[in-house]
Amino acid sequence: MTRVLMLSTDANIFDETSDVRERMKWYGTVFEELHIIVCTTKLKVKSEKLKVSENVFAYSALSALRFLCLWEAYRIAKNIIQTINYQLSTTNCVVITTQDPFEVGLVGYALKRRFGVPLQLQVHTDFLSPYFWRESLKNKIRVLLAHFLIPRADGIRAVSTRIKNQLQTTNYKLKTDPVILPVFVDVRAIKDAEAKVDLHSVYSSYDFIILMASRLTREKNIAMALEAMRQIILKFPKTLLLIVGSGPAKKMLSLRVERNCLEQNVIFSAWTNNITSY
């Protein structure tokens, strides 16, 4: 079995009630060991080493500055790899996977160069979308990083067929075809969970509710859903579009709602760690 070192930016691993933590426990069942290093500025307390399950461990590369988080992640990862190599009296016994082809992908690539270990990049975001590029200077830098890193990865995980196809049709010289692996959803747990929110009671004046759970970013094309709502309410005026999430496009989307007089039919709800009740 494989020892995996994962580089992430998701601080929810340190929340005992999060779906992310449960997912990491499940990942641990298919590996000898799973070490997760989280680059974060969000935690209040630094965790040198958190035992998530019998063979799953989490570490926080905590700093107020993003750059220092990445450096701390590299330092922690280097110590883990060296420790494993020493314990097994061999090298190249670790696989690195990074949860994006951007900043943590760069850390993964530096470790690949330093130790000669295989590197897998995960692509969860449609960074090839023109909306992603135009959103911010940070996103432009991320796209350039991805263009540099993806051809140098030993493996690529795409979470959808569309992202895989885009990677294959872009002018990359890939070492291997991307593998499609969607984010795991425990459907049974959702079905069996007790609902803590009854949307039809909270929004009792509506006959029908459309739920959208999404990051509020331009590449998600939530504007198209708002345009659809303009047509829907002409025939079904008691329809509600409930958008659950947060992101940099929130202000722009709110202005679009006001401009199209959709305030009575579109409601934004704050991001939540557990959307099961919805």
Side-chain angles (χ1 to χ4, degrees), residues 200-214:
H200 289 285
S201 294
V202 176
Y203 304 106
S204 57
S205 61
Y206 296 94
D207 294 335
F208 194 83
I209 299 173
I210 302 170
L211 174 68
M212 173 178 284
S214 174

Side-chain angles (χ1 to χ4, degrees), residues 69-126:
C69 288
L70 299 175
W71 174 253
E72 180 68 3
Y74 178 85
R75 184 192 67 79
I76 295 171
K78 180 181 70 171
N79 291 339
I80 292 171
I81 294 173
Q82 289 176 334
T83 299
I84 292 174
N85 288 346
Y86 176 78
Q87 290 174 343
L88 300 180
S89 300
T90 185
T91 58
N92 299 334
C93 52
V94 176
V95 173
I96 297 175
T97 182
T98 72
Q99 290 192 324
D100 67 51
F102 311 132
E103 296 97 320
V104 292
L106 185 61
V107 176
Y109 178 67
L111 293 165
K112 170 183 167 66
R113 291 291 303 270
R114 172 71 171 79
F115 295 99
V117 294
L119 170 65
Q120 180 204 53
L121 298 178
Q122 302 182 34
V123 185
H124 295 251
T125 301
D126 184 9

Side-chain angles (χ1 to χ4, degrees), residues 230-244:
R230 291 179 61 195
Q231 307 302 316
I232 289 170
I233 63 174
L234 294 177
K235 189 171 183 180
F236 305 102
K238 291 188 176 182
T239 300
L240 170 66
L241 173 61
L242 179 62
I243 303 174
V244 181

Side-chain angles (χ1 to χ4, degrees), residues 16 18 25 33 54 89 96 103 108 118 135 146 148 202-203 216 252 256:
E16 294 182 1
S18 72
K25 290 180 182 178
E33 290 178 0
E54 190 62 33
S89 300
I96 297 175
E103 296 97 320
E135 189 168 285
F148 172 78
V202 176
Y203 304 106
L216 305 185
M252 179 270 291
R256 186 182 287 261

Side-chain angles (χ1 to χ4, degrees), residues 181-211:
L181 181 62
V183 175
F184 174 73
V185 176
D186 190 341
V187 176
R188 175 57 57 187
I190 294 174
K191 287 182 176 179
D192 294 343
E194 179 183 357
K196 298 179 180 179
V197 178
D198 183 350
L199 295 183
H200 289 285
S201 294
V202 176
Y203 304 106
S204 57
S205 61
Y206 296 94
D207 294 335
F208 194 83
I209 299 173
I210 302 170
L211 174 68

